[in-house]
Amino acid sequence: MWRAKATIDFEFADFNKGNYIESVAKKDDSETISKVLYPNDTYVEGKFLRLKQQYFFVSATLQDIIRKYKIKHSSFEQFADKTCIQLNDTHPVVAIPELMRILIDDENLSWDKAWDITSKTFAYTNHTVVPEALEEWSEQIFSNLLPRHLQIIYEINRRFVEKVRQEYTKDEAVIEKLSIISGGKDKRVRMANLAIVGSFAVNGVAALHTNILKKRIFPDFNKIYPKKFINVTNGITPRRWLITANPLLSQLLIERIGFDWAKDLTQIKKIEKFVEDKEFTEQWQKIKFNNKLALIELIEKEHDIKINPESIFDVQIKRFHEYKRQLLNVFHIITLYNRIKHNPKIKMVPRTIIFSGKAAPAYYAAKMVIKLINSVADVVNNDPDVGDKLKVVFLKNYSVSLAEKIIPASDLSEQISMAGLEASGTGNMKFALNGALTIGTMDGANVEIREEVGDENIFIFGLLADEVVKLKSNGYNPREYYEKNSNLKHIVDMIATNFFNPKEFGIFDDMIRGLMNVDYYLLFADYQSYIDTQDKVAKFYTDKYEWTKKSILNVARMAKFSSDRSVKEYAEKIWKVKPVKINRQ
Ligand SMILES: *Cc1c(COP(=O)(O)O)cnc(C)c1O
């Protein structure tokens, strides 16, 4: 929507003096502001340019909102009534002091009037509880770029803390946690705290996530403002993720139940009555098979691998982050590989394990997981003992367009994050809407997917969010799991002794050290439960009829996960707006 553009192309004086580079440096520098976004996901660096970008986009948007408001209104009396600004994560939270600044400095309102308007205008959506992703700005960076805003933030905090002392607690340890400015010598501005204090509503993006926000991340804020915290579970659009991505399945649905589900996904439950219909079931299977053939064609264009379309298409596509535990999936692959090597004649359900996803540019540990996947793939795919029982594929350049091609061809959806860390997930919903069954932890929206599809139509494993906290507080020792589980030990030893990387000795040493000494994301603790559940998946897959029935029931019970439902909840619970009828010619 907004782009930074220099008003002066170059400094003519510099140019005339022969300073050709300097003559365009200022133009270049100013236009850098909107050139690239930081590609980090669930990690923030306190970089000056990022704060500049945030302020640039926020300022442009607020100016535009106020310009439009002033066309119809001559005072700010109705501003909060007519305007709601939904803060999508903490990235635009500088909008709170910016609106205060505009109302006080430019529009001459009193502090109290300006605060009354501001705190009734903003609502904040939290998207993660991963600590490295919670934005904090050093006071120094903030005061260099936005000294007036910092002054306003200090005053917001002074009044807030005073109120807390009067009405809530005098416990300085609690007050320090609530404060918008973190104490100590190295003072920092906590953007989430500012967002909560400055907004009239705060929401999480799945039921479990909202509970964790209330109970674990912001318990004192929740006591001070008990009605402020609400849940709006995320959703996905059936237009992109069914109609566009999966035309074959969409056509079958249209033939049986019409097209109403496209605009009202609650209608999709009508296909539930066909679960026992032989012709419908066979068409369903044929569509999945054809989608798998199309994906095989795409894969074989880039990789010299022969893929068996009868194999389970077992798929994990998402950003690479340690908490998402792609490495646990790799442990399963090596487990299967070891079974084959132990007995090359073993009968097993063939699997094709597909990964795609990007790691943040400087996230070394996540990049090493990608490296390990490709190393394991090299060994597994070229071992004659393996044949077509097991294949591993890593597809580069993950994007929405690639996701649209992979998801309709998937049988199994890997949603295996450490419980308590995936705020919602939306990949989980896209897969289920396309008839893939989920193997997953009780995390994010997986919990609600299970509630909708029924326990018998999803494969749940692993520690619960509360059990994760308990295990860690009791002193988790990964070595105990390593010593007690010979299969797990074998896998870790293989990686540690360079089995998959004979030409690149030692490259996984850091990974192994991290696992053996800390295993922050509890891979060892969840390993056996994951393997047992994967074995259950394979067993169910051999009963094609039962599998297809579960697949149909997953799709039939996805109504809740339409983004239309999410948007409607924002409209009703937060924005207090009603639908408007649009008259088209
Ligand atoms: C849906 C989607 C995501 C989110 O996936 P999760 O599994 O929920 O993390 C990320 N990237 C792309 C390209 C997507 O389409």
Side-chain angles (χ1 to χ4, degrees), residues 241 317-318 324 398-400 403 415 425-427 430:
W241 295 109
I317 52 173
K318 49 182 74 250
K324 293 176 181 278
Y398 184 50
S399 66
V400 168
Q415 307 299 336
T426 52
K430 300 167 195 170

Side-chain angles (χ1 to χ4, degrees), residues 279-421:
E279 194 195 322
F280 182 79
T281 303
E282 281 168 7
Q283 278 180 292
W284 192 276
Q285 289 165 349
K286 204 181 280 172
I287 287 164
K288 183 62 83 181
F289 191 78
N290 283 329
N291 288 339
K292 287 167 84 169
L293 291 180
L295 181 61
I296 288 174
E297 203 174 296
L298 183 143
I299 293 169
E300 288 180 353
K301 268 191 193 139
E302 290 205 24
H303 298 261
D304 188 22
I305 314 173
K306 191 97 199 75
I307 291 164
N308 174 3
E310 305 279 357
S311 63
I312 304 175
F313 277 29
D314 174 347
V315 181
Q316 187 169 22
I317 52 173
K318 49 182 74 250
R319 292 298 294 248
F320 272 79
H321 196 294
E322 289 164 285
Y323 87 79
K324 293 176 181 278
R325 302 201 296 190
Q326 281 94 351
L327 189 51
L328 185 59
N329 190 339
V330 176
F331 283 8
H332 176 240
I333 297 171
I334 301 174
T335 303
L336 296 179
Y337 179 69
N338 288 342
R339 283 181 194 166
I340 296 167
K341 293 308 282 183
H342 183 73
N343 172 17
K345 291 193 181 120
I346 193 171
K347 274 224 179 299
M348 60 180 254
V349 187
R351 280 201 201 229
T352 301
I353 295 153
I354 298 167
F355 293 92
S356 194
K358 290 170 182 169
Y363 190 175
Y364 171 79
K367 289 192 167 189
M368 286 315 292
V369 176
I370 296 178
K371 174 69 184 171
L372 180 62
I373 289 168
N374 284 290
S375 301
V376 170
D378 249 5
V379 170
V380 168
N381 297 344
N382 295 305
D383 188 327
D385 284 347
V386 174
D388 73 351
K389 288 196 273 287
L390 184 60
K391 287 282 173 275
V392 181
V393 182
F394 179 89
L395 293 170
K396 65 181 183 186
N397 291 332
Y398 184 50
S399 66
V400 168
S401 310
L402 186 57
E404 287 178 39
K405 296 186 173 88
I406 299 171
I407 292 168
S410 302
D411 296 307
L412 187 64
S413 158
E414 297 273 353
Q415 307 299 336
I416 60 178
S417 51
M418 181 177 81
L421 287 187

